[in-house]
Amino acid sequence: MSRPIRLRSLSDGDGSSLLLSGELKKRPKFQYSGWVFHLGTNKIGHEYCHPRFLFIRGKYVEMYKRDPHDNPGINPIRRGVVGHTLMVGEMGCRKVNCSDLHVLRFYNRLDESKKGEIACATAGEAQKWVEAFEQAKQQAEYELSRGGRARDKLNLEAEIDLDAHRHRVRKYAHGFIKLIKIGHEPLLRQSSSLADNAHTDGYMGVDGDTDAIEAHTWKCVCTMNGIRIFEDVVESKGGRGVLVKSVGIIDCKADTVFEVLMSLEPSKRYEWDMLTSDLELVECVDGNYDVLYGTYDSKYFTWWSSKRDFVFSRQWFRGQDETYTILQFPAVHKKCPARSGYQRTKISPSTWEIRSLDTSGATTEFPRCLVTHMLEIQSDSWGAWKKSRSSKFEKSIPYSLLCQVAGLKEYIGANPVLKSNSDTAVLTSNSSSSSISSSECDSAEAEEFYDAIAAESSEDEDSDDDIEVDKKDIVMLENDSLDIARLSLKASDHDSSQVLDSATPPVPIDPIKFCGSLREGKDDDDINCWTNPGGAGFMIRGNTYLKDYNKVRGGDPLLKLIAVDWLKADQSIDKVALRPSCVVQSDAGRKLPFVLIFNLQIPAKPNYNLVFYYASDRPVNKSSLLGKFIDGTDSFRDSRFKLIPSIVKGYWMVKRAVGTKACLLGKAVTCRYLRQDNFLEIDVDIGSSSVARSVIGLVLGYVTSIVVDLAILIEATEETELPEHLLGTVRLSCLRLDSAIEA
């Protein structure tokens, strides 16, 4: 049986407390634990993958060879502190010892040479561990904000030599035997799961289906096999291919649908996929991108004279709202030349979106998700089928693709094990049940965690011969439902709408005095330029959002966009504001009350930088949410700075890849902040995330033909911070890569 989840609170050893919602409460400690795989390379260059029990408690992380709850008194083989400079990145899926694992990478944002990796059985588990490490980071950030003895203690722990390794003696013969044994055994599919009722930091909350107004107009044209078929009536009027989608509700977790959809095992795909069931992996480009080859027997399509084969690529990622997106393109690969006896066919470009419908956050016996499969087909065959429902279209590839949602629904419905929700929650008041004491963890001599898991394994750690991991002993979770981000700032009693100091006369902002390398457009039809679209096209949290999740259209931005730089260089450019030619270094720029510099670092050859300068005509009220963001900690900024993208015009696949959901940038990519004088610069390293790098690579391929709107804002998580306010917006129209200026 799976281990029950325990939720409990522990007070600090020094009896410290804090003010929360006007009440004095003991500060509880966040706890989360479960089985993971520790990945790395040993001293002689061999890769290893060990099952390890990971235990997060407050800001501390410990790694065990066995479950410490079943083995009281066992010592950890690794112990570390989750510092506020820790970054966690999802590296996607990787094949390790014949199993597909989802890898998480840890590194210090100040020194990326200090790093390590763990892996999980599913993408859902990996996301839960990301959340858990974010909680631990916020615990450390909270202790830094308290000052005094707690801060001195944390600083002392962080100063331990990160490159030091323990002295050890390696028995190489034993090591080689161990490597051979692991190489011939499949990995155990262990899992860990954050409880459905565990509290998150707000960025996983319900934000609705979209945060930008989309141009699609979907009309249901028919229902078949328990699913609905929609047509985009706006796109179909353009005379090009028709955009259609099939939509169905499946009674299981989104993680389960994603795993079934991504599986290449023929015996399973035969049960639901009538077209792409015979697939082979051609190349795994990275953890979020691969190329597949497939074949299809002509007997199922009577007018085909020969067998067919096809090649297509898949890109996938999981959004901060837990929605999975899969992009599928027809492809050409050197390893897949024309094959004798087969006729090469082209699979229609398509996307999958898998979104959980469990928006309440409560544990449900039968979770549900909404599955959408969207593809582009020829308008003539689609129009004929709509008129006569002819059997010809029903024996076509697009029809087979549309029916895949129905196949998934029936396959999962016929397999109860896929529908079951194994997570159970038990509340216990006996906090002494844990075998790991608070004093034991707090008094430990700790090193930074990303270095701890990257350190070469000792003789004792490498030996797993005496470990027996029960597949049924899946998870132990101890969580106090603590939202430390909320504790890091006291609740304010000011009017959140008073962001700028109304008592100070406004400073006139003359756009002529500010000139960036990218020109401002004359109107919306202009190209290779920027304009200001306003805030009406974006949806933000209204006054009652915490009660009813209602969003409202954004109003006029608080800050004025005064210039945009479009730069290129061999290396990404940091600290743009310190360059003598920067807008804020001009005489006019120095006189502005405040300037927010938003620097998007785009990985390519060469690297590109899009730099946006937003200015206020009055000083920022220090008690406002924006004021706290400007002078706050990097951890607080990471947890609140939000970007809303929207492709207004462009190829529909690019629109689906970019999406219209708000993204907390500090949770997705590495953000660096520079606060000086009258400005705050935010450097956003898109290349720090493999998922973001993949998406931006797709966008760059179509950049000359797309129009994109961007909005930036600070996320409001308290009632006193609502409604949200757009800080600034921009529209970029059909940029030319060759127009970027050498930096």
Side-chain angles (χ1 to χ4, degrees), residues 66 132 144 337 477 586-587 590 600 674 704:
R66 302 179 184 86
L144 281 174
L477 170 68
S586 65
D587 292 338
R590 293 177 182 273
L600 277 177
L674 176 63
T704 58

Side-chain angles (χ1 to χ4, degrees), residues 199-228:
H199 189 79
T200 60
D201 297 333
Y203 68 93
M204 301 298 292
V206 180
D207 275 3
D209 294 341
T210 179
D211 292 307
I213 308 301
E214 289 193 280
H216 295 294
T217 301
W218 296 104
K219 179 181 179 182
C220 183
V221 295
C222 74
T223 58
M224 61 181 186
N225 302 328
I227 61 173
R228 294 175 294 160

